[in-house]
Amino acid sequence: MISVVVADDQALVRGGFTMILRTHDDIAVVAEAGTGLEAITAAQQHHPDVILMDIRMPELDGLEATARILRDADWPVKILILTTFDPDEYVYQALRAGASGFVLKDIPPAELATAVRTIAGGGALIAPSITRRLISKFATQRGVNSAVADRVHRLTERERDIVVAVARGATNTEIAEELFAGPATVKSHVSSILTKLGLRDRAQIVVFAYESALVAPGAHDIGH
């Protein structure tokens, strides 16, 4: 059973997401929150597997709430960003803070449950080209982050290849085929990369790839 907290300042939106998720036997909405502070409290009380987090909320926005929850959590919580608008720098900052991906609020009901399962299973919603364009855009505006770039030397050549492939949106199975390795081997490499770089999940690997200049801006955008 996947436990979920839904955080959005609009009661109708919050209730709608809750109702949709409760139609699935493997998902339990354990709490709702209308502000960033309420989201933090709900997270601390319920230790959910996944938090659906609106970016723009009163008292404390979703960006700061995301950063605080992930900083203090002693359990493997995943955060999925909700946004009404096209992805902007707020979403980018949330990914940098450790969010595992984002969805637009007009996501089809069936896809919402799939997104929650993906995040809970350790995946990241980074495959759509728009996500990579978002990261590429704001990473480019900031320029190469020297502190991030200095951490590249911790990786083996094979691990750097895998970072680039993850940034392209490739799955472990696809990477395994490209590198003539087994999926279990690739999974082990990804775990090693996360540990060496101090990252939470694949979404942060994508951010790292651009900010360290391992991937050139726009190099792997797919226009679909």
Side-chain angles (χ1 to χ4, degrees):
M1 182 70 74
I2 302 168
S3 58
V4 178
V5 167
V6 178
D8 193 293
D9 64 330
Q10 297 180 15
L12 197 59
V13 173
R14 197 167 64 239
F17 280 139
T18 296
M19 184 171 63
I20 290 168
L21 292 175
R22 282 180 173 162
T23 64
H24 298 271
D25 294 338
D26 61 333
I27 298 174
V29 177
V30 295
E32 295 182 12
T35 70
L37 290 178
E38 289 179 4
I40 292 174
T41 299
Q44 294 171 339
Q45 289 180 345
H46 298 280
H47 287 198
D49 299 309
V50 176
I51 300 175
L52 301 186
M53 182 78 76
D54 185 22
I55 282 287
R56 294 169 177 83
M57 290 189 290
E59 293 185 15
L60 192 72
D61 65 26
L63 174 60
E64 182 60 25
T66 293
R68 292 190 192 183
I69 290 170
L70 293 178
R71 180 191 65 203
D72 298 334
D74 56 2
W75 75 99
V77 60
K78 303 291 185 179
I79 295 183
L80 181 62
I81 298 299
L82 302 171
T83 180
T84 306
F85 311 101
D86 283 338
D88 55 18
E89 188 161 12
Y90 283 104
V91 176
Y92 171 65
Q93 292 294 348
L95 293 173
R96 291 189 84 241
S100 297
F102 74 92
V103 293
L104 298 179
K105 289 186 181 179
D106 61 359
I107 183 174
E111 292 183 18
L112 179 64
T114 299
V116 167
R117 294 186 187 105
T118 298
I119 295 299
L125 296 181
I126 58 174
S129 61
I130 190 170
T131 307
R132 296 194 297 280
R133 283 198 297 271
L134 166 78
I135 294 172
S136 174
K137 174 182 177 182
F138 291 109
T140 301
Q141 289 179 356
R142 289 169 168 267
V144 176
N145 185 323
S146 58
V148 172
D150 286 346
R151 287 150 61 194
V152 172
H153 76 273
R154 301 177 187 174
L155 304 176
T156 65
E157 185 175 349
R158 175 54 60 93
E159 287 170 343
R160 294 181 193 185
D161 290 340
I162 291 174
V163 166
V164 172
V166 170
R168 194 173 66 241
T171 65
N172 283 357
T173 300
E174 291 168 341
I175 296 172
E177 291 175 354
E178 289 180 17
L179 301 181
F180 303 103
T185 299
V186 173
K187 183 177 181 180
S188 177
H189 279 308
V190 170
S191 296
S192 175
I193 290 166
L194 293 173
T195 300
K196 287 182 178 181
L197 299 179
L199 304 177
R200 289 183 62 86
D201 57 27
R202 296 173 83 94
Q204 285 199 310
I205 291 178
V206 179
V207 174
F208 175 86
Y210 283 100
E211 292 195 343
S212 65
L214 271 178
V215 174
H220 297 295
D221 286 347
I222 301 173
H224 61 68

